[in-house]
Amino acid sequence: IEAALLLGLMVTYLAVSGYGRLRKYVGLGAAAGILLGIVTWWVVQVILVLSPLQQEALEGITSLLAAAVLFSVTFWVIHQIDIRSWKEYIRKKAEEAVGTGRGLTLASVAFLVVYREAVETVLFYQALWMRSSEAQAAVVLGFISGTAVLAALVFLMFKFGVRIPLKPFFSLTGILLGLLAFVFAGYGVRELQTIGWIKETPLL
């Protein structure tokens, strides 16, 4: 949804400014981000299969990486509560693209927006998948449900201009991401303690 909001702002600004012809570059950049995200997922699978580390180590490292990404995204989301900073950033990039007569700048921004979300999603689901060996059907069901809701919201946003209340949305998103990062960090540390990579200090 975060990526869709940013792409929507880009497309809207270009249309209002009379540079609708550059919108195709936004779509191309977003498509490239999705494709490279799929490649990233495949690379992660190959690395996990070929890694000489034992299962607990892989689960711990993956969970800690997911936690680190979620923490960084949490701070980014909180910072983006002020929509004016988004609009100013998009305006500068759009003017730069218009000034040069090329859409490469817009395509690169759209690519980075989508690919960042793709990497976050890959790490999140990989960590969730590895720790949910007995409930992977629920993970798949959640992914399908989330994808359906996302597709519906994006369709409503781009087709009918439905607006999402940004401040409440980003506040709630930031809280949820922070909690998930906390959970993944604890799980990752626990797995590394199990194999002795991190020492345990009993409280009692």
Side-chain angles (χ1 to χ4, degrees), residues 42-54 58:
W42 178 80
V43 170
V44 170
Q45 303 307 308
V46 172
I47 292 175
L48 291 176
V49 170
L50 298 180
S51 175
L53 298 176
Q54 58 192 105
L58 291 174

Side-chain angles (χ1 to χ4, degrees), residues 52-130:
L53 298 176
Q54 58 192 105
Q55 182 69 17
E56 290 80 2
L58 291 174
E59 292 182 9
I61 292 172
T62 303
S63 294
L64 290 177
L65 285 175
V69 172
L70 288 174
F71 268 123
S72 66
V73 172
T74 299
F75 287 116
W76 182 87
V77 167
I78 293 174
H79 178 70
Q80 298 303 324
I81 288 178
D82 186 6
I83 193 62
R84 290 175 297 181
S85 61
W86 272 23
K87 291 182 177 180
E88 181 63 20
Y89 175 75
I90 292 169
R91 183 187 64 79
K92 289 181 179 180
K93 292 299 181 182
E95 288 182 350
E96 182 180 341
V98 171
T100 59
R102 298 182 299 175
L104 182 60
T105 301
L106 287 174
S108 62
V109 172
F111 168 79
L112 291 175
V113 167
V114 174
Y115 184 64
R116 183 186 68 83
E117 295 292 341
V119 171
E120 174 192 341
T121 302
V122 167
L123 286 174
F124 173 80
Y125 271 98
Q126 187 62 53
L128 195 62
W129 185 264
M130 295 178 73

Side-chain angles (χ1 to χ4, degrees), residues 124-194:
F124 173 80
Y125 271 98
Q126 187 62 53
L128 195 62
W129 185 264
M130 295 178 73
R131 68 168 299 186
S132 305
S133 57
E134 298 180 358
Q136 292 180 340
V139 176
V140 174
L141 179 60
F143 177 79
I144 294 174
S145 302
T147 302
V149 173
L150 175 61
L153 287 175
V154 170
F155 175 77
L156 292 174
M157 287 167 52
F158 281 85
K159 185 69 176 180
F160 301 104
V162 175
R163 295 185 177 182
I164 296 176
L166 294 178
K167 286 189 176 181
F169 169 76
F170 282 115
S171 298
L172 179 61
T173 302
I175 293 172
L176 290 176
L177 289 175
L179 290 174
L180 287 172
F182 183 77
V183 171
F184 277 126
Y187 180 77
V189 170
R190 180 56 185 159
E191 287 299 308
L192 296 183
Q193 286 178 331
T194 300

Side-chain angles (χ1 to χ4, degrees), residues 3-4 6-12 14 19-33 90 94 103-111 113-114 158:
L6 188 51
L7 294 176
L9 286 174
M10 294 173 68
V11 171
T12 301
L14 291 173
Y19 298 104
R21 66 182 186 278
L22 295 176
R23 288 182 295 181
K24 62 181 180 181
Y25 293 103
V26 177
L28 291 173
I90 292 169
L104 182 60
T105 301
L106 287 174
S108 62
V109 172
F111 168 79
V113 167
V114 174
F158 281 85

